[in-house]
């Protein structure tokens, strides 16, 4: 899941960014509304966390423009002002939820999760492919009933592959989804990374799930 955070209080932005990255989200940060809007238009984010009081372009105008352009990703508004009027204005403008500063990180996380869940309708919190089971609530991965322990990034990669099962994903797509902009990419990194995940999931199993498609990328096949 790739998120955009637009927040001009840089300390707060960094804290929220690192907290979200620990939760396996990939997060881009912008410190003003104009740059943020440019990013939002250029990259298909899964969700946006948007401060209202921003330099250059304020959050409400940002949001209005975004919706006018037909961009419908979920937006969580942040503001220091907690008045009912602001809240109503924000929701009327097309925000999906609203959080008043100062907030607890856990609350931001819970709300963001809820927004993203609404966006991807799922019958159950457990994703299954053959004998692979991924419990999204517990973040637990099992193959053939045995727990497979993954790093946060490996888990994020597996979830991404699962959401696109039977679809070949290029190295660029994988990189963009898993890492944020600042990641200094060596093309081997993704190969090594996918191979590590493959070892953990497929080793010792007669039916392989993750396949390399020569010259194209990777696919998780049913
Ligand atoms: Ca602000």
């Amino acid at each position: 899941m790739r998120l955009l955070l637009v927040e001009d209080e840089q300390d707060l932005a960094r804290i929220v960014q690192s907290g979200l990255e620990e939760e396996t989200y990939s997060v881009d940060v912008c410190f003003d509304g104009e740059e943020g809007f440019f990013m939002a238009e250029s990259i298909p984010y899964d969700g946006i966390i948007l401060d209202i009081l921003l330099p250059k372009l304020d959050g409400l105008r940002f949001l209005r423009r975004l919706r006018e352009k037909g961009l419908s990703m979920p937006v969580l508004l942040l503001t220091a002002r907690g008045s009912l009027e602001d809240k109503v204005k924000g929701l009327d403008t097309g925000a999906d939820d609203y959080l008043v500063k100062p907030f607890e990180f856990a609350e931001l996380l819970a709300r963001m999760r809820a927004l993203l869940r609404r966006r991807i309708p799922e019958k159950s919190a457990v994703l299954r492919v053959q004998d692979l089971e991924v419990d999204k609530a517990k973040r637990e991965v099992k193959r053939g009933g045995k727990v497979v322990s993954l790093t946060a990034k490996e888990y994020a990669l597996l979830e991404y592959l699962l959401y696109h099962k039977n679809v070949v994903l290029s190295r660029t797509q994988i990189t963009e989804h898993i890492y944020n902009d600042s990641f200094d990419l060596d093309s081997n990194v993704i190969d090594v990374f996918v191979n590590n995940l493959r070892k953990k999931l497929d080793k010792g199993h007669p039916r392989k799930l993750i396949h390399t498609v020569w010259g194209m990328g990777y696919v998780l096949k049913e």
Side-chain angles (χ1 to χ4, degrees):
M1 289 281 172
R2 190 164 185 192
L3 304 178
L4 175 65
L5 170 63
V6 193
E7 167 61 80
D8 59 319
E9 286 168 55
Q10 303 201 3
D11 291 346
L12 176 64
R14 291 301 176 205
I15 290 168
V16 170
Q17 180 187 29
S18 65
L20 287 168
E21 283 177 353
E22 262 171 46
E23 296 292 323
T24 77
Y25 294 101
S26 171
V27 185
D28 295 328
V29 178
C30 292
F31 302 125
D32 73 68
E34 254 172 31
E35 193 202 346
F37 191 78
F38 173 76
M39 296 286 284
E41 271 188 310
S42 336
I43 295 168
Y45 288 105
D46 298 301
I48 301 178
I49 300 167
L50 180 63
D51 189 27
I52 288 188
L53 291 172
L54 286 171
K56 295 188 184 168
L57 178 67
D58 73 66
L60 289 176
R61 279 163 59 216
F62 181 118
L63 186 57
R64 195 170 302 121
R65 262 201 223 170
L66 193 76
R67 298 311 190 211
E68 278 168 7
K69 293 227 165 200
L71 295 165
S72 63
M73 65 276 268
V75 173
L76 174 66
L77 275 182
L78 301 180
T79 186
R81 301 176 297 186
S83 76
L84 184 65
E85 196 199 345
D86 279 336
K87 185 173 173 175
V88 169
K89 218 189 268 172
L91 294 172
D92 277 351
T93 309
D96 298 271
D97 203 357
Y98 194 96
L99 199 53
V100 177
K101 290 178 186 175
F103 51 84
E104 296 287 331
F105 178 72
E107 188 178 3
L108 178 130
L109 190 62
R111 287 186 187 225
M112 207 59 224
R113 267 201 202 121
L115 287 185
L116 296 169
R117 247 199 318 272
R118 252 181 263 162
R119 185 151 170 92
I120 306 165
E122 284 166 53
K123 290 190 193 94
S124 115
V126 180
L127 303 169
R128 282 192 185 83
V129 173
Q130 291 184 10
D131 61 347
L132 173 73
E133 284 174 53
V134 176
D135 184 325
K136 296 186 57 209
K138 288 195 257 171
R139 290 259 187 83
E140 190 178 70
V141 178
K142 284 184 186 168
R143 180 92 205 254
K146 276 188 193 158
V147 174
V148 181
S149 130
L150 300 181
T151 65
K153 288 248 189 268
E154 285 165 355
Y155 179 86
L157 170 64
L158 176 60
E159 213 179 68
Y160 186 50
L161 288 166
L162 272 171
Y163 278 126
H164 299 86
K165 70 178 172 197
N166 303 320
V167 175
V168 179
L169 298 170
S170 70
R171 286 172 182 78
T172 311
Q173 282 174 309
I174 293 174
T175 310
E176 283 179 359
H177 201 83
I178 306 296
Y179 294 101
N180 50 1
D181 277 354
S182 57
F183 188 75
D184 183 16
L185 185 81
D186 173 334
S187 62
N188 289 329
V189 169
I190 289 296
D191 296 333
V192 171
F193 184 42
V194 173
N195 279 327
N196 287 343
L197 177 65
R198 179 150 50 189
K199 263 183 230 158
K200 289 186 180 179
L201 285 184
D202 282 343
K203 205 177 172 192
H205 293 270
R207 289 161 125 195
K208 308 298 177 202
L209 292 172
I210 301 173
H211 303 266
T212 306
V213 181
W214 184 249
M216 289 177 74
Y218 294 99
V219 61
L220 189 144
K221 265 198 254 177
E222 194 134 36

